[in-house]
């Protein structure tokens, strides 16, 4: 136990001192690692931006069921309960005839002609409707089919209540949107993997070069009879230290950058400012960068030293 | 104590470093291995450290085959042997003090032992003044004295010196030889490889002569003859 503590202390001290004395080489690998972490951080931001805009986009997709003006409210509410029971349905909103009229009037408040025409009618020409949101945009077709079958059943009895379902008018747009959302998700996943791979490769190669410059040192250590942990430990500490420092560098770089980009992202992605995201998720981002830095730096050093240990 | 048993090292058909070499080194002996460059002197020493494996034959240290040692045993084995090289092989990012302390650290010595032993051995090789200098701030002779200090700090059973005077002027050469002699007088086995005639002749100890990878002479108190 005592020995382990002494070993750890010596390895840590040797790592810190080595980092400092090798400042020039350490600086080079720290900068490359900062760049890698910057890429990873940028992916986090981009992912968050896409996520919110996709969610907003998905939220805009819905289907409306328009009922006949003669449809009794109780039957409509029955249907609402049935639709709500479907597993793929997220939210169902019932708009009764009066509310539908109010919404219509509000939408056309600048159009005197239509309002006048409406006033001349003695009764409300609008039917009630249900606004249905699915959990996934791909599930609308199933919901529309269900509504169709319900209506066919009812019309067989001669008391159909549904006037029309607007899914079929919007089908092309919804399908198109679905394929766009799907390809954006696939593409962003592929990009994330590509860039993570690039940053790992970049870091690993830089660390490998710094260890290469120390290969004679490693062989001397081995010939003096040092165990592998004694040779490797300080390099891993140096690498991890580089990782920590580069995490701070990348994190600090994001402050002015997100501040500058904030307003434009707010308009482009709709509603979310990248700067607010940075501030609100600071702890989370900090932790990811720090862990990524330590793992990248320490891990690369661990692997890079390995090949020089076989003496 | 050390026994080379029919050791051959063949890199390729036209590059034979050692050819069936056999000899024994007894405890407390001072052995010089001489021969022209490329005669196989350094290869012999590398095999004793298991830095290289023989193509054929075996190297024994205290009746154990050094090539069959496990990783941990190999580390222990290397700590029993102090090594001095022609090109010094010091750790460039560590001070003189730290270079010696490192050898003690890897041998598992306590901080107290390190603090008491390192200044002592620095004094022995006359480097007390340079304790906090880095290797690149030392002269050739000082570097080699530091390397010797590192080699003997753990009181090894054997010190091997691979052309330790190859890069030094005559005065520094004599100094190094005197230190090695002193180490031997204190009971440590010393194996020295050199092609410096003056050094070998002044020692008057056992000389093994290698030529083209073969032992051609082995004299109890020999001179450098080729």
């Amino acid at each position: 136990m005592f020995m382990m503590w002494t070993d750890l202390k010596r390895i840590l001290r040797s790592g810190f001192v080595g980092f400092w004395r090798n400042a020039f080489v350490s600086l080079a690998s720290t900068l490359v690692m900062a760049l890698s972490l910057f890429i990873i951080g940028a992916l986090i931001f981009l992912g968050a931006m896409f996520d919110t805009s996709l969610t907003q986009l998905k939220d805009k997709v819905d289907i409306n069921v328009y009922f006949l003006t003669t449809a009794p409210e109780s039957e409509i509410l029955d249907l609402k309960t049935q639709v709500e029971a479907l597993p793929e349905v997220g939210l169902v909103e019932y708009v009764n005839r009066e509310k539908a009229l109010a919404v219509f009037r509000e939408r056309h408040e600048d159009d005197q002609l239509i309002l006048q025409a409406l006033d001349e009618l003695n009764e409300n020409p609008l039917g009630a409707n249900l606004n249905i949101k699915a959990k996934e945009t791909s599930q609308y077709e199933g919901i529309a089919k269900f509504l169709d079958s319900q209506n066919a059943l009812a019309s067989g009895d001669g008391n159909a209540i549904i006037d029309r379902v607007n899914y079929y008018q919007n089908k092309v747009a919804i399908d198109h949107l679905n394929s766009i959302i799907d390809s954006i998700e696939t593409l962003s996943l592929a990009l994330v993997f590509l860039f993570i791979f690039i940053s790992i490769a970049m870091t690993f190669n830089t660390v490998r070069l710094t260890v290469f410059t120390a290969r004679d040192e490693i062989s001397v250590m081995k010939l003096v009879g040092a165990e592998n942990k004694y040779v490797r430990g300080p390099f891993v500490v140096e690498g991890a230290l580089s990782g920590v420092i580069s995490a701070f560098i990348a994190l600090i770089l994001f402050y002015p950058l997100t501040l500058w980009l904030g307003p434009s992202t707010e308009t482009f992605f709709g509603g979310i400012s990248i700067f607010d995201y940075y501030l609100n998720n600071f702890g989370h981002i900090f932790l990811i960068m720090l862990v990524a830095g330590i793992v990248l730096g320490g891990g690369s050093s661990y692997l890079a030293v390995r090949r020089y240990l076989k003496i | 104590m050390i026994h080379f048993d029919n050791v051959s090292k063949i890199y390729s058909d036209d590059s034979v470093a050692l050819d069936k070499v056999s000899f024994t080194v007894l405890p407390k002996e001072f052995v010089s291995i001489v021969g022209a460059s490329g005669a196989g002197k350094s290869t012999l020493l590398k095999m004793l450290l298991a830095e290289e494996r023989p193509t054929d034959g075996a190297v024994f240290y205290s009746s154990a085959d050094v090539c069959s040692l496990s990783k941990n045993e190999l580390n222990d084995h290397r700590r029993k042997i102090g090594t001095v090289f022609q090109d010094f092989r010091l750790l460039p990012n560590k001070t003189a003090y730290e270079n010696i302390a490192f050898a003690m650290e890897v041998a598992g010595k306590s901080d107290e032992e390190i603090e008491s032993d390192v200044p002592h051995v620095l004094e022995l090789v006359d480097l007390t003044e340079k304790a906090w200098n880095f290797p690149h701030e030392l002269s050739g002779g000082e570097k080699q004295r530091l390397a010797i200090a590192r080699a003997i700090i753990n009181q090894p059973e054997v010190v091997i010196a691979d052309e330790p005077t190859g890069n030094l002027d005559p005065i520094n050469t004599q100094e190094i030889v005197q230190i090695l002699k002193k180490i031997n007088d204190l009971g440590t086995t010393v194996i020295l490889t050199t092609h410096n005639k003056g050094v070998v002749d002044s020692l008057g100890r056992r000389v093994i002569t290698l030529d083209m990878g073969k032992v051609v002479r082995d004299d109890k108190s020999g001179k450098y003859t080729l």
Side-chain angles (χ1 to χ4, degrees), chain A residues 2-3 6-7 9-10 13-14 17 21-22 217 219-228 230 311, chain B residues 51 71 75 78-79 85 89 91-95 98 102-103 105-106 108-111 114 134 150:
Chain A
F2 164 75
M3 227 33 240
T6 312
D7 283 350
K9 195 182 69 188
R10 286 171 178 172
R13 189 184 55 203
S14 180
V17 170
R21 288 191 185 154
N22 248 331
E217 216 176 319
S219 72
V220 173
M221 290 176 174
K222 286 294 291 177
L223 289 179
V224 176
E227 285 169 57
N228 284 353
Y230 252 110
I311 299 175
Chain B
E51 201 181 342
K71 239 196 219 165
N75 289 331
R78 284 173 174 169
R79 283 184 219 131
F85 302 94
R89 300 225 203 156
L91 299 171
N93 288 317
K94 292 190 190 295
T95 62
E98 289 166 346
F102 180 78
E105 285 178 7
V106 303
K109 299 284 168 65
S110 71
D111 289 349
I114 294 175
F134 289 96
R150 180 182 65 184

Side-chain angles (χ1 to χ4, degrees), chain B residues 73-148:
Chain B
E73 289 171 332
L74 184 61
N75 289 331
D76 284 341
H77 167 69
R78 284 173 174 169
R79 283 184 219 131
K80 281 186 220 151
I81 302 176
T83 323
V84 182
F85 302 94
Q86 177 177 6
D87 53 358
F88 320 124
R89 300 225 203 156
L90 299 166
L91 299 171
N93 288 317
K94 292 190 190 295
T95 62
Y97 183 97
E98 289 166 346
N99 261 282
I100 301 172
F102 180 78
M104 291 188 80
E105 285 178 7
V106 303
K109 299 284 168 65
S110 71
D111 289 349
E112 291 74 30
E113 285 174 285
I114 294 175
E115 278 159 29
S116 79
D117 288 7
V118 176
H120 189 70
V121 78
L122 277 170
E123 201 186 313
L124 193 78
V125 295
D126 197 17
L127 281 175
T128 309
E129 303 281 296
K130 306 270 183 170
W132 302 108
N133 286 75
F134 289 96
H136 68 91
E137 296 164 340
L138 302 178
S139 73
E142 286 167 341
K143 280 184 203 168
Q144 200 56 293
R145 293 201 315 258
L146 175 56
I148 292 177

Side-chain angles (χ1 to χ4, degrees), chain A residues 143-269:
Chain A
I143 298 172
K145 284 213 170 104
F146 169 77
L147 290 167
D148 268 1
S149 64
Q150 287 297 311
N151 203 32
L153 226 66
S155 56
D157 305 340
N159 46 11
I161 53 168
I162 296 177
D163 181 16
R164 63 194 163 86
V165 178
N166 75 344
Y167 171 74
Y168 297 101
Q169 286 122 352
N170 299 342
K171 186 177 187 315
V172 178
I174 290 177
D175 283 351
H176 195 54
L177 199 63
N178 265 337
S179 67
I180 290 178
I181 289 171
D182 276 354
S183 30
I184 287 181
E185 277 171 350
T186 322
L187 194 73
S188 60
L189 199 69
L191 277 179
V192 166
F193 277 116
L194 180 73
F195 278 103
I196 285 181
F197 174 76
I198 289 176
S199 49
I200 289 175
M202 220 158 64
T203 310
F204 181 60
N205 275 311
T206 313
V207 170
R208 216 158 56 158
L209 279 179
T210 66
V211 171
F212 178 75
T213 59
R215 67 194 184 286
D216 290 337
E217 216 176 319
I218 294 174
S219 72
V220 173
M221 290 176 174
K222 286 294 291 177
L223 289 179
V224 176
E227 285 169 57
N228 284 353
K229 67 172 179 203
Y230 252 110
V231 181
R232 189 181 249 164
F235 284 100
V236 174
V237 172
E238 279 182 49
L241 199 61
S242 276
V244 171
I245 294 174
S246 51
F248 276 102
I249 294 177
L251 213 60
I252 291 168
L253 274 182
F254 274 119
Y255 185 87
L257 196 74
T258 51
L259 185 65
W260 180 58
L261 284 175
S264 43
T265 49
E266 201 162 353
T267 37
F268 188 76
F269 290 104

Side-chain angles (χ1 to χ4, degrees), chain B:
Chain B
M1 179 183 204
I2 296 167
H3 179 59
F4 283 78
D5 184 22
N6 255 323
V7 175
S8 296
K9 180 74 186 180
I10 301 163
Y11 291 108
S12 66
D13 281 348
D14 49 0
S15 170
V16 179
L18 292 175
D19 187 8
K20 293 188 182 132
V21 170
S22 292
F23 64 88
T24 303
V25 178
L26 299 172
K28 299 184 185 179
E29 248 189 316
F30 193 126
V31 183
S32 302
I33 301 173
V34 303
S37 293
K41 307 186 294 284
S42 300
T43 311
L44 266 182
L45 298 188
K46 279 183 181 165
M47 282 181 181
L48 184 55
L49 287 170
E51 201 181 342
E52 289 208 31
R53 295 172 163 272
T55 315
D56 198 25
V59 181
F60 294 95
Y61 185 92
S62 308
S63 70
D65 182 350
V66 297
C67 278
S68 60
L69 296 177
S70 73
K71 239 196 219 165
N72 282 334
E73 289 171 332
L74 184 61
N75 289 331
D76 284 341
H77 167 69
R78 284 173 174 169
R79 283 184 219 131
K80 281 186 220 151
I81 302 176
T83 323
V84 182
F85 302 94
Q86 177 177 6
D87 53 358
F88 320 124
R89 300 225 203 156
L90 299 166
L91 299 171
N93 288 317
K94 292 190 190 295
T95 62
Y97 183 97
E98 289 166 346
N99 261 282
I100 301 172
F102 180 78
M104 291 188 80
E105 285 178 7
V106 303
K109 299 284 168 65
S110 71
D111 289 349
E112 291 74 30
E113 285 174 285
I114 294 175
E115 278 159 29
S116 79
D117 288 7
V118 176
H120 189 70
V121 78
L122 277 170
E123 201 186 313
L124 193 78
V125 295
D126 197 17
L127 281 175
T128 309
E129 303 281 296
K130 306 270 183 170
W132 302 108
N133 286 75
F134 289 96
H136 68 91
E137 296 164 340
L138 302 178
S139 73
E142 286 167 341
K143 280 184 203 168
Q144 200 56 293
R145 293 201 315 258
L146 175 56
I148 292 177
R150 180 182 65 184
I152 60 173
I153 187 71
N154 289 326
Q155 285 134 10
E157 295 164 2
V158 183
V159 167
I160 59 180
D162 189 10
E163 311 224 14
T165 59
N167 280 336
L168 304 179
D169 61 54
I171 293 171
N172 277 308
T173 298
Q174 272 315 309
E175 231 172 45
I176 297 296
V177 171
Q178 287 314 313
I179 294 174
L180 288 175
K181 251 172 131 170
K182 203 152 112 192
I183 293 168
N184 179 244
D185 289 342
L186 294 170
T188 308
T189 312
V190 176
I191 303 177
L192 167 76
T193 74
T194 182
H195 48 223
N196 186 323
K197 184 170 163 40
V199 166
V200 180
D201 292 352
S202 73
L203 278 168
R205 306 283 179 97
R206 181 179 170 194
V207 178
I208 296 173
T209 310
L210 281 181
D211 187 30
M212 309 282 280
K214 284 190 170 124
V215 176
V216 290
R217 300 167 69 95
D218 188 347
D219 303 317
K220 263 274 166 275
S221 65
K223 300 229 170 222
Y224 190 107
T225 37
L226 262 183

Side-chain angles (χ1 to χ4, degrees), chain A residues 105-153:
Chain A
R105 275 183 187 280
E106 201 183 335
R107 198 186 298 158
H108 297 277
E109 62 185 350
D110 297 331
D111 197 335
Q112 286 305 316
L113 210 62
I114 287 185
L115 291 181
Q116 271 173 20
L118 206 56
D119 286 339
E120 275 173 32
L121 290 170
N122 287 329
E123 54 165 0
N124 180 355
L126 298 176
N129 65 66
L130 282 182
N131 180 271
I132 303 170
K133 286 207 161 85
K135 283 180 185 141
E136 293 292 330
T137 47
S138 55
Q139 289 164 343
Y140 282 107
E141 184 149 20
I143 298 172
K145 284 213 170 104
F146 169 77
L147 290 167
D148 268 1
S149 64
Q150 287 297 311
N151 203 32
L153 226 66

Side-chain angles (χ1 to χ4, degrees), chain A residues 64-76 79 94-98 100 123-130 151 154-155 158-165:
Chain A
N64 289 301
V65 185
Y66 296 98
F67 295 96
L68 298 168
T69 48
T70 53
E73 191 163 29
S74 61
E75 282 185 35
I76 297 175
L79 185 68
Y94 171 58
V95 180
N96 64 22
R97 295 186 61 198
E98 288 69 38
E123 54 165 0
N124 180 355
L126 298 176
N129 65 66
L130 282 182
N151 203 32
S155 56
N159 46 11
I161 53 168
I162 296 177
D163 181 16
R164 63 194 163 86
V165 178

